[in-house]
Amino acid sequence: MTTETINNQATAQQYIDDMARTRGYVLDYHKVMAKHDFPVLEAANNMVSAAYLEQRTLDRKTKELIFIVSLTAMRASKGHIQSHIRVALDLGLTPTEILEAIEISLPEAGVVAFQAGVEAWREVVDAEGIEPTVTVHEGGNGAA
């Protein structure tokens, strides 16, 4: 391994560590891009930082709720939605506030997207439902 390769890997590792500290999570694609195409990761992260991480008019809690709703409506992966739910909880939002935000996706994105968002939330906050006391077919959780 060349000295340049080692330095680039150290820079990429530091960048991923900084992303994790700043965001509270990193996604799999962040890790892969850090190793295989660091300049593109850096460019994409700069855009996200400007819109999402830097303090402007909206506070971070509000931005997390918006992210959760938009990811739910866009039918993002459960893990991606859950990463933002966890950050929202870390910021002091309550499970009920997060669920209320997810509920906003129902009329706009439909029941399928809404169910996936609720399932992501349910797993993170360990929410339980009320089971029927009558015979019924299992309906599933709406997740793919």
Side-chain angles (χ1 to χ4, degrees), residues 4 15 52 55 57 60 67 88 90 96 102 105 113 122 131 136:
E4 182 179 349
Y15 197 82
Y52 164 58
Q55 181 59 50
T57 305
R60 181 76 186 270
F67 242 109
D90 289 347
T96 303
I102 292 169
S105 71
R122 184 200 63 75
E131 293 296 326
V136 64

Side-chain angles (χ1 to χ4, degrees), residues 89-109:
L89 291 167
D90 289 347
L91 292 171
L93 288 160
T94 68
T96 303
E97 289 170 322
I98 297 166
L99 178 60
E100 186 175 333
I102 292 169
E103 291 166 350
I104 292 170
S105 71
L106 182 56
E108 299 304 324

Side-chain angles (χ1 to χ4, degrees), residues 45-78:
N45 190 51
N46 286 339
M47 185 207 46
V48 170
S49 291
Y52 164 58
L53 296 171
E54 292 175 11
Q55 181 59 50
R56 295 172 46 207
T57 305
L58 299 175
D59 64 18
R60 181 76 186 270
K61 287 181 181 182
T62 303
K63 289 179 183 182
E64 282 304 330
L65 291 175
I66 292 169
F67 242 109
I68 292 165
V69 172
S70 64
L71 289 170
T72 297
M74 297 292 298
R75 299 182 186 178
S77 72
K78 180 168 55 173

Side-chain angles (χ1 to χ4, degrees), residues 128-132:
E128 295 182 7
I130 298 173
E131 293 296 326

